[in-house]
Amino acid sequence: MSSVAAVEVTSARGGTDSQKRSYEGADEELLGFAARETQDSRGHARKKRRRTYNAMTQYSQTDTSIGGLPTHIVQSFPAGYIKKVVLKNFMCHEHFEMDLGPKLNFIVGNNGSGKSAILTAITVGLGAKAAETNRGNSLKDLIKEGCHRAKIAITLENESYGAYQPDVFGSEIIIERTIKRDGTATFSLRTETRNVISTKRKDVLTIVDYFSVPISNPMCFLSQDAARSFLTASTPHDKYLHFMKGTLLQEINDNLDRAKLICETSQNNMVLHYSNLKTLKHDYEDSKRLVKELNQTSNLTERKLLLQGKSLWLDIEHNEKSVSTLQEKIDEVKGKIREVDGKIEGKHQKIERFKTDAEQVTSTIEAKLEEITEIESKHQEVREKLRVVRNKFEIEKSNEKQAQESIKKCEENIRNLDVSIKRLEDELQREMGGDKEQMRQELNELEAKQEQLLSKSRDILPALETLESNDKALENERASAISEVQRIITERTAELQNISKGMDSFLSNFDPNIEMLLKTINHNKHRFRELPIGPLGNYISVKDEFKEWLRPIQRYLSSSLSSFVVTNAADNKLLRQIIKQCRLRTNIPIVTYKFSNFNFENGKPQGPHTTVLDVLSFKDPKISRLLVDLNKIEKVVLIKNKDEARNYLRSGPRNVTMALALRDENSGFQLVGGYRLDTVSYQMKLRLKAGSSGDGNASYIKELIHQEEHRLSQVRNNFEEKIKGLQTDLRKMHMKHRDVNNELKLVKQKIRGLRINLDKEVDTGVLTSKKDERENQLRAIESYKLGIKELEKTIASLADDAQPLKNLYDEGKRSLMKAKDELSEFKERASKRESKIEKLTDEIKYYEGKKLDMLETITGIEQNITSLSDGLKKQVESAKRFCTLEQSNSEELPNDQEEIKKELDRISKSIQRVENQIGFSQDKVLELYDKSRSKYKEGQNKYLAVHQALELLQESIEKRWQNFHHLRHVTCLEADLDFRSSIRVRGFAGNLVFVEDTKSLEIHIVTANDEEARDVDTLSGGEKSFSQMALLLATWKPMRSRIIALDEFDVFMDQVNRKIGTALIVKKLKNESRTQTIIITPQDIGKITEIDSTGVKIHKMKDPQRQNNSNNTDGRQ
């Protein structure tokens, strides 16, 4: 089949233009074909064919494997069948979708439901022209009424064996064809992901040809008219023609006939070629005679040639000296280049040394940084220990002071007791003389004072409990605050370490799953009309000189930094679905915004203060316009002092809506209108980048860590002061409570004494009690003094313990300052080295530029040398045509160009006289001789080559005729065997008879009631239709098309033959995995015959409503 195809191409090109082309064109074509035929013959001689391919298929008929594939893979469905058809506004379908099976498909529906439109859509979608559809002369007639365009989308399976460029298209190939009323129809060739690969019709036809789908063959896609024409063909000749056209045998026969005609025409042209060859020989003989006549002047000619050669050799000598001079110039420049290379190498060595030193300094700086960190850590520990010792020292000092005050109190009590004792002794001396009424009055006053003291004691207890509770709460608050700050420092440090390791976790500040969201968006980017932008914080950074405003601006922009921006509602909906799939923990706002390029210069304030817009940098300028539109960032000014900001806003500046002011590391102020002041807390996680450089975030995080460490120190100091003050208040409250209890105790004693005195005439118990109490006070004083001594020892011990810590603290401070000074020195040294390296690099660039100029100079000289050398070669070749170098050095020849010129003039005049006698110049005669000789030799060789090519072509055509007769015999035999198999389903016997002489196809049938075969035309209508159906299946058998389709095959059958014919189709085609069959019928196949095969799929169309048939099919496997 491949040989026939080759003939077809050649004959198709020469069949219609054989009379118009020149003989030279025909000869070139014949010679080219002869060369290809010779190459093919040699290839066939070296390697026998291993497979025999049937017509219109890329798969073997008899082999059990294809292309070396295992048998179990071949038994699956090959690539190329139609998986899905989608129609929009095509004929009667507004929107229609249908999934097809890989084997046998029945499309069933009532008349008018649009069944035939599906077959038309398939042929048009695969590249058929309007005339091939029998539906009109223009594809525009196929557009649904009232619509401006129609669209056909056909999905081909491309996953199994025999796939077409699977690395490009994937598992599916989508062919789309759009028909427009106001334009030409267009194609779109897409991958499984709907990416457009091509829009050219030839690429679509290439794929269709690759899968062996001959859309122009009426026997592969039989419309109603084509099916009626074939199934009702009246004469055997018509049947024969249908069979030959369907199996492409007729096309091969026509191509071979045209090839034979071309060969015969070319053989007739060879007579003219022979006549032309005789003319060329005659011209050659004439020019040869003229050359002989010119030989009379051979001596003068030889002398002339020698002189011309001598002149050329003198020029060559001069040019060679020029080349030597240029080469010396190149050597000189190369010497300068070597000097420059030496200088560059020296600079590079210095740079390497500086880089080596820089690496050492860098490692030293890193070591020094680690040393400073370690020293700071140890210094912090010593400071913490010293603080603890100081607190204990102050507590013991406070206890000592309290003991001193208690001693003074006891001494005051002793003085009071001495007074009371003296008074009691005086009373006893008066033998209990005194006023009883006065004693009762004193008792009442003491009882009243006792109630006051009891009330005062009860009031002190809640306050004491409150202070103790506050003390515990403050301790807990201190621990919580310190823990929170330490946690922030730990997180910042970890974030800084990740950045230094190249693992920037900036995006995770928006949400832990934000990176998965971005990857999912990028994976589905083809589904978006415009790719979403976000989170916006990833596209915005604060300029280096304004880093202190990063957190106030982040607090102001707030949720806008986490937002994603889309341009339409469809993208908004799709993005929400993706966000839901990614299970983000935080709420991600989605802004639907159509970007536009507007001018907002008139809306900016004219004052001296910087705005939020001024301090921000944007990856994409359109994001700045988005924030101007949504957040008015051009109208928000930055003023460090809140009072200055308030005064500025009260002045009513134009185009200013808000001012941001600084407060501390964790909070700031937002001022509106000069009268509203809001204190806002900053967010801990950074959602805004710091600086435009790569380490902007790292340096800013370091700064935040230093701020948090400073805040940690402040938190500790603040809580220490609060705890210290609270403990002082608590001690005072305890002392107050103790004093009240002591006073209450004294009052109770006095009351008890007065009552005793009132009840007894003489009682010395009170006096004894006072004296005992005085002794107790004295013992208490001694106890306090002993306690003071112990406290003094403890204080001294604490002072001794504090001194080493103080020394360590001072030493650590000095070490830290020294290390920082050394670090600054190393950094300065590193900076100087960088400056030197930059200077050396600039010098290297200068020398390299100088070297490049020298190289360009060398290149220019070398080009000149090359040009001269090429000229010298040509001069040498030209000189050698006149004489050799040895001949030019003859002493008989002059060595001066002027003398050579004079002698050449004399010789030329002598030759001219001879040429005048002949009628031609010597050069003209030689030129005629060369031309006539070359034309004669060329014509002679070409005549022989064309003659051999024609003989080879004749032989090839005869072989192709033999192959064609064999192929026709095999194809007819295969069709006959299949026909016999088909009619046995009905209980018939018979055969197909192909008569080549009369070009006829006779169908002989023997029914159950017949004894001899008879012609099919003598059968009943149903039996005849069944026989014609068997003929159709027999025609399909050798065709091996990947897809075949038939529209309303049973229209001429009765119910009995329709059922038998349907069963025949199912039996023949249900397991045919290499051919997808589409049968259209108005009959309900499920009622006609039983379908129990997985290879059959039935698509039932809805009754005609001319609306939307999408998903109106029910498939049954």
Side-chain angles (χ1 to χ4, degrees):
M1 294 294 292
S2 61
S3 300
V4 174
V7 173
E8 176 191 352
V9 173
T10 305
S11 61
R13 184 167 40 183
T16 57
D17 299 335
S18 60
Q19 302 301 325
K20 298 180 181 179
R21 293 177 300 161
S22 64
Y23 297 127
E24 289 79 2
D27 293 343
E28 292 297 333
E29 185 174 333
L30 287 170
L31 290 173
F33 173 78
R36 290 194 300 272
E37 187 64 25
T38 302
Q39 185 177 3
D40 291 342
S41 300
R42 291 174 181 173
H44 287 300
R46 287 193 302 265
K47 181 179 178 181
K48 294 182 178 180
R49 293 177 59 91
R50 295 183 179 177
R51 301 179 181 87
T52 300
Y53 292 100
N54 286 314
M56 298 165 52
T57 179
Q58 52 186 321
Y59 309 116
S60 170
Q61 176 187 10
T62 58
D63 290 356
T64 58
S65 63
I66 296 177
L69 293 173
T71 303
H72 70 280
I73 296 180
V74 177
Q75 291 174 351
S76 62
F77 310 123
Y81 69 84
I82 299 174
K83 293 179 66 176
K84 188 174 185 178
V85 178
V86 179
L87 308 180
K88 292 182 180 179
N89 300 326
F90 185 82
M91 295 182 69
C92 62
H93 297 289
E94 179 180 349
H95 184 85
F96 175 84
E97 295 184 9
M98 175 179 286
D99 296 326
L100 296 174
K103 296 182 181 179
L104 179 58
N105 295 267
F106 284 99
I107 301 177
V108 180
N110 293 327
N111 292 331
S113 60
K115 304 185 300 300
S116 299
I118 299 172
L119 180 58
T120 302
I122 291 174
T123 58
V124 172
L126 294 179
K129 298 180 181 178
E132 297 172 347
T133 63
N134 296 325
R135 293 282 185 171
N137 296 323
S138 175
L139 293 177
K140 297 178 182 179
D141 298 336
L142 304 178
I143 302 175
K144 182 176 171 54
E145 291 186 8
C147 299
H148 296 286
R149 65 171 59 193
K151 188 174 183 180
I152 305 167
I154 298 175
T155 302
L156 301 180
E157 199 278 338
N158 197 46
E159 188 173 12
S160 187
Y161 65 93
Y164 180 78
Q165 298 183 3
D167 54 336
V168 176
F169 289 93
S171 61
E172 292 181 349
I173 299 175
I174 302 173
I175 300 175
E176 293 181 354
R177 190 172 190 181
T178 304
I179 307 171
K180 305 174 185 176
R181 289 195 186 276
D182 55 354
T184 58
T186 59
F187 282 95
S188 181
L189 196 57
R190 300 177 181 270
T191 65
E192 61 176 336
T193 57
R194 300 196 63 78
N195 293 330
V196 177
I197 299 300
S198 174
T199 57
K200 298 179 180 178
R201 182 174 183 266
K202 68 175 184 177
D203 294 331
V204 175
L205 295 180
T206 298
I207 293 176
V208 172
D209 290 341
Y210 176 83
F211 288 124
S212 297
V213 183
I215 55 173
S216 59
N217 188 342
M219 294 300 294
C220 288
F221 292 88
L222 275 82
S223 62
Q224 291 183 12
D225 295 336
R228 184 182 304 109
S229 175
F230 179 79
L231 295 176
T232 61
S234 58
T235 66
H237 180 68
D238 293 335
K239 295 183 179 69
Y240 181 86
L241 291 179
H242 277 99
F243 179 83
M244 295 296 285
K245 288 180 180 179
T247 56
L248 296 183
L249 291 173
Q250 185 63 45
E251 184 176 356
I252 297 171
N253 185 82
D254 295 341
N255 290 335
L256 287 173
D257 286 339
R258 283 196 294 272
K260 185 177 180 181
L261 178 61
I262 291 171
C263 185
E264 292 174 352
T265 303
S266 299
Q267 287 175 341
N268 294 332
N269 291 336
M270 290 300 291
V271 177
L272 180 59
H273 279 299
Y274 186 71
S275 175
N276 291 336
L277 186 61
K278 286 183 176 180
T279 302
L280 291 175
K281 185 177 181 182
H282 183 265
D283 293 340
Y284 171 60
E285 294 294 339
D286 289 342
S287 63
K288 194 174 181 181
R289 178 180 53 78
L290 291 175
V291 170
K292 289 181 179 179
E293 292 178 1
L294 277 176
N295 287 336
Q296 298 173 4
T297 61
S298 59
N299 294 331
L300 291 175
T301 303
E302 289 177 1
R303 180 66 178 178
K304 182 180 180 180
L305 291 175
L306 287 173
L307 290 171
Q308 290 174 335
K310 179 65 175 182
S311 177
L312 289 173
W313 283 113
L314 289 175
D315 291 338
I316 291 169
E317 181 180 358
H318 178 267
N319 290 335
E320 286 176 345
K321 290 180 180 179
S322 299
V323 170
S324 299
T325 302
L326 291 175
Q327 190 62 48
E328 291 174 358
K329 181 66 174 176
I330 289 177
D331 294 338
E332 180 183 350
V333 176
K334 286 183 177 179
K336 293 180 180 180
I337 290 175
R338 285 193 292 272
E339 293 178 2
V340 171
D341 286 337
K343 292 180 180 180
I344 292 174
E345 180 62 26
K347 304 292 182 185
H348 278 301
Q349 290 176 358
K350 287 183 180 181
I351 289 174
E352 289 300 323
R353 288 198 299 272
F354 282 134
K355 286 184 177 180
T356 303
D357 294 342
E359 291 176 358
Q360 294 176 354
V361 172
T362 302
S363 61
T364 305
I365 290 173
E366 293 176 354
K368 190 59 66 178
L369 286 172
E370 294 178 358
E371 180 184 350
I372 289 174
T373 304
E374 184 178 356
I375 291 173
E376 285 182 341
S377 176
K378 292 181 179 178
H379 184 62
Q380 185 69 23
E381 292 177 1
V382 172
R383 184 169 61 181
E384 183 67 20
K385 291 179 180 179
L386 187 60
R387 184 189 62 79
V388 172
V389 172
R390 284 178 178 174
N391 288 342
K392 290 182 179 179
F393 182 82
E394 291 175 358
I395 292 171
E396 296 302 329
K397 273 290 188 182
S398 176
N399 292 336
E400 182 185 13
K401 183 178 179 181
Q402 185 177 354
Q404 292 289 353
E405 291 176 355
S406 297
I407 290 174
K408 291 179 181 179
K409 195 79 172 178
C410 290
E411 290 175 347
E412 179 67 25
N413 290 337
I414 288 173
R415 286 192 292 272
N416 292 333
L417 288 171
D418 287 342
V419 173
S420 297
I421 290 172
K422 188 174 183 308
R423 181 177 57 78
L424 289 173
E425 288 177 346
D426 291 341
E427 289 178 356
L428 287 174
Q429 289 177 0
R430 291 194 296 272
E431 295 179 353
M432 298 301 293
D435 191 354
K436 296 284 186 181
E437 186 63 29
Q438 185 178 359
M439 292 175 67
R440 290 190 183 92
Q441 184 177 355
E442 185 179 359
L443 178 63
N444 291 334
E445 291 176 357
L446 289 173
E447 287 178 346
K449 187 176 182 180
Q450 181 182 9
E451 287 298 326
Q452 291 177 357
L453 291 173
L454 287 172
S455 175
K456 192 173 182 180
S457 177
R458 285 193 295 270
D459 292 340
I460 289 173
L461 285 174
L464 187 62
E465 292 175 355
T466 301
L467 286 174
E468 291 176 346
S469 175
N470 289 343
D471 184 46
K472 293 181 180 178
L474 194 58
E475 284 288 348
N476 293 334
E477 185 179 352
R478 172 179 175 271
S480 176
I482 291 175
S483 175
E484 177 63 20
V485 177
Q486 288 175 340
R487 181 187 63 79
I488 293 172
I489 292 174
T490 302
E491 290 180 356
R492 297 284 191 226
T493 304
E495 188 174 357
L496 184 61
Q497 290 175 352
N498 287 337
I499 292 175
S500 65
K501 295 176 181 178
M503 300 184 296
D504 192 353
S505 57
F506 174 73
L507 288 174
S508 63
N509 292 336
F510 297 94
D511 190 274
N513 295 331
I514 196 72
E515 292 190 20
M516 181 175 69
L517 172 61
L518 294 177
K519 290 179 181 178
T520 307
I521 291 173
N522 188 55
H523 181 70
N524 293 274
K525 61 183 179 181
H526 61 280
R527 300 175 60 190
F528 290 97
R529 296 180 185 175
E530 290 189 32
L531 197 65
I533 300 175
L536 292 182
N538 194 34
Y539 293 81
I540 309 171
S541 61
V542 177
K543 298 176 181 177
D544 292 327
E545 61 269 25
F546 299 102
K547 286 183 181 179
E548 59 182 340
W549 290 103
L550 187 144
R551 299 176 77 184
I553 293 173
Q554 176 176 314
R555 182 64 176 82
Y556 169 67
L557 294 178
S558 189
S559 62
S560 294
L561 298 176
S562 302
S563 301
F564 278 72
V565 181
V566 296
T567 59
N568 55 81
D571 288 351
N572 187 312
K573 182 178 179 182
L574 176 58
L575 182 57
R576 290 188 185 279
Q577 294 175 355
I578 293 175
I579 291 175
K580 188 176 180 181
Q581 293 173 3
C582 294
R583 299 181 179 178
L584 269 64
R585 302 176 186 175
T586 56
N587 182 27
I588 301 296
I590 301 176
V591 179
T592 302
Y593 182 82
K594 188 69 175 178
F595 291 103
S596 60
N597 190 5
F598 58 88
N599 188 353
F600 53 84
E601 291 296 327
N602 294 332
K604 297 173 66 175
Q606 303 299 322
H609 299 290
T610 305
T611 65
V612 173
L613 176 63
D614 297 331
V615 305
L616 295 181
S617 296
F618 304 90
K619 288 184 179 179
D620 192 336
K622 61 185 179 183
I623 296 178
S624 63
R625 295 184 178 85
L626 169 67
L627 294 181
V628 165
D629 204 1
L630 298 182
N631 298 90
K632 309 298 181 186
I633 59 174
E634 84 285 8
K635 300 181 184 296
V636 180
V637 297
L638 306 176
I639 305 174
K640 292 184 178 180
N641 187 275
K642 74 176 189 309
D643 296 328
E644 182 183 352
R646 181 187 286 114
N647 295 332
Y648 177 70
L649 290 178
R650 286 178 178 175
S651 67
R654 185 169 173 266
N655 293 332
V656 176
T657 59
M658 179 182 286
L660 304 181
L662 302 178
R663 183 170 180 264
D664 54 32
E665 294 86 352
N666 299 302
S667 61
F669 300 107
Q670 292 182 357
L671 299 91
V672 180
Y675 298 98
R676 177 182 169 186
L677 175 66
D678 295 329
T679 302
V680 295
S681 298
Y682 298 151
Q683 299 158 331
M684 298 311 299
K685 293 185 176 180
L686 293 181
R687 292 176 180 164
L688 195 62
K689 293 185 176 180
S692 58
S693 61
D695 60 345
N697 274 9
S699 60
Y700 183 70
I701 290 173
K702 287 180 182 179
E703 184 178 338
L704 289 181
I705 291 174
H706 289 310
Q707 292 177 1
E708 293 299 332
E709 289 175 346
H710 177 68
R711 187 161 74 93
L712 177 62
S713 178
Q714 287 183 335
V715 168
R716 284 174 173 164
N717 293 335
N718 292 339
F719 275 103
E720 284 175 4
E721 291 177 2
K722 290 181 182 179
I723 291 173
K724 183 178 179 180
L726 187 60
Q727 288 179 349
T728 301
D729 294 340
L730 187 60
R731 284 195 301 272
K732 288 181 180 179
M733 190 61 68
H734 275 296
M735 291 175 64
K736 185 177 180 180
H737 186 253
R738 187 169 61 248
D739 292 342
V740 169
N741 287 339
N742 290 335
E743 189 176 358
L744 182 61
K745 184 177 180 182
L746 292 174
V747 170
K748 286 181 179 179
Q749 290 176 353
K750 289 180 180 180
I751 290 173
R752 192 165 52 250
L754 286 174
R755 283 178 178 169
I756 291 173
N757 288 335
L758 287 174
D759 293 339
K760 294 181 181 180
E761 291 295 330
V762 178
D763 188 0
T764 59
V766 174
L767 180 60
T768 304
S769 173
K770 291 295 182 181
K771 290 180 178 180
D772 292 339
E773 185 175 354
R774 187 175 183 280
E775 291 296 328
N776 290 334
Q777 293 294 325
L778 289 173
R779 284 194 293 271
I781 288 173
E782 292 298 327
S783 175
Y784 283 132
K785 288 181 178 180
L786 291 174
I788 287 173
K789 290 180 180 180
E790 292 296 328
L791 288 173
E792 289 175 349
K793 293 179 181 180
T794 303
I795 290 171
S797 175
L798 288 174
D800 293 339
D801 293 341
Q803 188 59 40
L805 292 175
K806 182 66 168 61
N807 295 336
L808 286 174
Y809 177 80
D810 294 338
E811 181 65 26
K813 189 173 182 180
R814 287 192 295 272
S815 300
L816 185 60
M817 294 301 295
K818 181 181 178 182
K820 288 183 177 179
D821 292 340
E822 291 175 352
L823 179 62
S824 299
E825 182 180 353
F826 283 123
K827 286 184 177 179
E828 184 177 356
R829 288 169 57 188
S831 177
K832 290 180 179 179
R833 283 186 175 83
E834 287 295 329
S835 299
K836 291 180 180 179
I837 289 174
E838 289 178 2
K839 182 179 179 182
L840 289 171
T841 303
D842 292 339
E843 291 176 356
I844 288 173
K845 289 181 180 178
Y846 166 75
Y847 283 120
E848 286 179 345
K850 195 172 180 181
K851 178 182 176 181
L852 185 60
D853 293 339
M854 294 179 184
L855 290 174
E856 288 178 355
T857 301
I858 290 175
T859 302
I861 295 173
E862 287 177 344
Q863 289 176 353
N864 291 335
I865 291 175
T866 302
S867 178
L868 285 172
S869 298
D870 293 340
L872 281 171
K873 290 179 182 178
K874 293 178 180 178
Q875 283 181 317
V876 170
E877 291 175 359
S878 179
K880 285 180 178 180
R881 285 198 296 267
F882 292 96
C883 67
T884 63
L885 179 60
E886 291 77 9
Q887 290 173 337
S888 69
N889 292 329
S890 174
E891 295 179 356
E892 296 178 359
L893 297 176
N895 293 320
D896 183 77
Q897 292 282 12
E898 288 296 328
E899 294 180 3
I900 292 173
K901 184 177 180 182
K902 291 177 181 179
E903 189 173 351
L904 282 173
D905 289 338
R906 291 194 301 270
I907 294 173
S908 296
K909 289 178 181 179
S910 300
I911 294 174
Q912 184 66 41
R913 287 193 295 271
V914 176
E915 289 176 350
N916 290 335
Q917 295 174 0
I918 296 174
F920 291 101
S921 66
Q922 183 182 14
D923 293 337
K924 184 65 175 177
V925 171
L926 293 174
E927 182 182 354
L928 287 173
Y929 174 76
D930 291 336
K931 287 184 178 179
S932 60
R933 183 180 62 177
S934 61
K935 283 186 177 181
Y936 173 67
K937 296 296 183 183
E938 182 181 356
Q940 187 181 35
N941 294 333
K942 192 171 183 180
Y943 179 84
L944 294 175
V946 172
H947 181 70
Q948 293 174 357
L950 286 174
E951 291 180 349
L952 184 62
L953 178 59
Q954 181 67 30
E955 182 182 355
S956 175
I957 292 173
E958 291 176 358
K959 290 181 180 179
R960 292 168 194 267
W961 272 112
Q962 294 174 2
N963 292 334
F964 170 69
H965 291 311
H966 175 71
L967 175 63
R968 183 175 60 188
H969 173 73
V970 171
T971 302
C972 295
L973 178 61
E974 186 178 0
D976 181 44
L977 294 174
D978 189 78
F979 178 77
R980 293 168 184 260
S981 172
S982 298
I983 61 176
R984 280 199 294 270
V985 174
R986 182 73 187 273
F988 292 172
N991 64 318
L992 300 177
V993 179
F994 295 86
V995 183
E996 297 300 332
D997 295 336
T998 59
K999 306 295 182 185
S1000 61
L1001 171 57
E1002 299 176 357
I1003 304 175
H1004 296 168
I1005 299 295
V1006 180
T1007 65
N1009 299 322
D1010 295 332
E1011 294 181 357
E1012 295 181 356
R1014 53 176 171 155
D1015 189 83
V1016 69
D1017 292 332
T1018 62
L1019 299 176
S1020 65
E1023 292 173 339
K1024 181 179 179 181
S1025 297
F1026 173 78
S1027 300
Q1028 297 283 21
M1029 176 55 62
L1031 175 61
L1032 175 61
L1033 293 176
T1035 305
W1036 279 349
K1037 181 67 174 180
M1039 284 169 54
R1040 294 282 187 171
S1041 173
R1042 185 64 188 87
I1043 303 171
I1044 55 176
L1046 176 62
D1047 190 0
E1048 297 193 5
F1049 70 96
D1050 52 355
V1051 68
F1052 300 109
M1053 295 183 181
D1054 56 23
Q1055 190 62 26
V1056 174
N1057 286 285
R1058 182 178 293 115
K1059 183 174 182 180
I1060 297 173
T1062 303
L1064 174 63
I1065 290 175
V1066 172
K1067 178 182 178 182
K1068 286 283 187 178
L1069 301 177
K1070 66 179 180 180
N1071 295 322
E1072 185 58 50
S1073 62
R1074 296 183 181 178
T1075 301
Q1076 182 186 39
T1077 307
I1078 302 172
I1079 305 294
I1080 297 175
T1081 176
Q1083 308 301 325
D1084 190 346
I1085 296 299
K1087 294 180 180 179
I1088 295 175
T1089 184
E1090 294 183 0
I1091 306 297
D1092 58 354
S1093 173
T1094 57
V1096 182
K1097 189 171 185 179
I1098 301 174
H1099 310 270
K1100 189 172 183 180
M1101 305 286 292
K1102 271 195 171 182
D1103 291 337
Q1105 295 179 355
R1106 302 303 188 200
Q1107 294 294 325
N1108 190 337
N1109 279 336
S1110 180
N1111 299 322
N1112 290 340
T1113 64
D1114 55 352
R1116 179 177 54 161
Q1117 294 288 346

